[in-house]
């Protein structure tokens, strides 16, 4: 059974860079797309971006200037960096799989809350 | 950007009843690239439907999706106690790939 697990700091200071890693187990990262989605407390869902194992990326245009998604196939991991964070970036961050090259998500991590505060 | 509107905002029903949830897009969703998710408190979303009408692996057949163009529907034929949750639609045909604001199905 495919499993995804997010890891990273739960607290980030304003103007700094948020960094999260998603570890994939029970299957290879060397297929499908792998994405990041976030959900501010009590609010809806927002696609941040996705990456294919070959390195091809998609970023939400509203976040593109601040987002970098990378993949490490040797560790079966992919990562998110979001720079210049503000309180508006406080959210639960989920990693997920986008099957067959599509941008819907069939396997999700449990999510990790990242709070932006000084 | 395609804006998705979901209605109603809240649906109050009893177990055993039929739930009909609507997702309307501001522009046509190409190739019916529309998905539905269920989310319970403190949990990640769970994929129910993709391609507007294809059930994801392991999803009971009481869940069905329909629609095309700008109007899509998720139907739960008979609500089970575990179906009370928030439901989101997502379009993945045009960038940015957007979610609707959700419909909460609660117990009447």
């Amino acid at each position: 059974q495919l499993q995804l697990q997010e890891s990273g700091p739960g607290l980030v200071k304003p103007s700094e860079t948020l960094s999260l890693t998603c570890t994939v187990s029970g299957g290879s990262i060397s297929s499908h797309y792998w994405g990041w989605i976030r959900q501010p407390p009590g609010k809806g869902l927002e696609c941040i971006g996705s990456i294919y194992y070959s390195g091809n990326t998609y970023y939400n245009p509203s976040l593109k200037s601040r987002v970098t998604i990378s993949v490490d196939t040797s560790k079966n991991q992919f990562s998110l960096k979001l720079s210049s964070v503000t309180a508006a970036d406080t959210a639960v961050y989920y990693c997920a799989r986008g099957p067959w090259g599509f941008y819907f998500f069939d396997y999700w991590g449990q999510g990790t809350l990242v709070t932006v505060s000084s | 950007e395609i804006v998705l509107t979901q209605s109603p905002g809240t649906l109050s029903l009893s177990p055993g009843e039929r739930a009909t949830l609507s997702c309307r897009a501001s522009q046509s969703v190409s190739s019916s690239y529309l998905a539905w998710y269920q989310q319970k408190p403190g949990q990640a979303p769970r994929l129910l439907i993709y391609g507007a009408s294809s059930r994801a692996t392991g999803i009971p057949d009481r869940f069905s999706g329909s629609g095309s163009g700008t109007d899509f529907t998720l139907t739960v034929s008979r609500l089970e106690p575990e179906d009370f949750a928030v439901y989101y639609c997502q379009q993945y045909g045009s960038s940015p790939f957007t979610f609707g604001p959700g419909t909460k199905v609660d117990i009447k």
Side-chain angles (χ1 to χ4, degrees):
Chain A
Q1 175 76 345
L2 192 73
Q3 293 186 320
L4 293 82
Q5 179 68 56
E6 305 89 352
S7 60
L11 181 64
V12 181
K13 290 182 168 54
S15 80
E16 295 190 344
T17 296
L18 178 160
S19 296
L20 295 174
T21 296
C22 183
T23 301
V24 178
S25 58
S28 173
I29 203 169
S30 296
S31 60
H32 305 294
Y33 273 80
W34 303 92
W36 291 96
I37 304 97
R38 70 180 182 178
Q39 184 172 36
K43 296 189 178 180
L45 298 158
E46 179 181 36
C47 289
I48 300 170
S50 295
I51 190 165
Y52 193 53
Y53 78 96
S54 62
N56 290 346
T57 53
Y58 157 78
Y59 298 140
N60 187 320
S62 69
L63 298 169
K64 188 173 184 177
S65 63
R66 299 194 291 131
V67 172
T68 303
I69 298 175
S70 58
V71 64
D72 186 338
T73 55
S74 67
K75 294 181 179 179
N76 236 32
Q77 295 176 335
F78 62 105
S79 298
L80 168 71
K81 291 188 186 300
L82 180 66
S83 64
S84 305
V85 297
T86 69
D89 295 309
T90 293
V92 175
Y93 286 75
Y94 296 101
C95 61
R97 187 183 83 165
W100 316 307
F102 290 107
Y103 294 102
F104 65 89
F105 304 101
D106 60 351
Y107 286 92
W108 293 64
Q110 66 185 22
T112 187
L113 174 63
V114 179
T115 301
V116 178
S117 175
S118 56
Chain B
E1 174 176 329
I2 295 180
V3 177
L4 299 178
T5 302
Q6 292 188 242
S7 60
T10 301
L11 193 54
S12 296
L13 294 169
S14 300
E17 290 192 294
R18 181 184 189 91
T20 303
L21 287 67
S22 172
C23 177
R24 184 158 292 174
S26 60
Q27 307 168 40
S28 182
V29 176
S30 61
S31 304
S32 294
Y33 284 170
L34 194 288
W36 289 94
Y37 301 85
Q38 176 193 70
Q39 187 178 35
K40 297 179 181 178
Q43 296 185 17
R46 173 193 182 198
L47 177 68
L48 300 174
I49 301 287
Y50 62 94
S53 61
S54 297
R55 265 189 305 274
T57 302
I59 300 303
D61 61 7
R62 66 180 181 272
F63 291 93
S64 63
S66 63
S68 63
T70 60
D71 290 316
F72 299 88
T73 300
L74 175 70
T75 301
V76 188
S77 59
R78 287 175 50 188
L79 284 165
E80 297 287 341
E82 61 268 28
D83 298 336
F84 292 91
V86 179
Y87 293 82
Y88 294 96
C89 57
Q90 180 214 357
Q91 68 81 20
Y92 54 97
S94 303
S95 172
F97 309 118
T98 48
F99 288 89
T103 289
K104 183 178 183 180
V105 179
D106 65 15
I107 300 176
K108 188 173 182 181

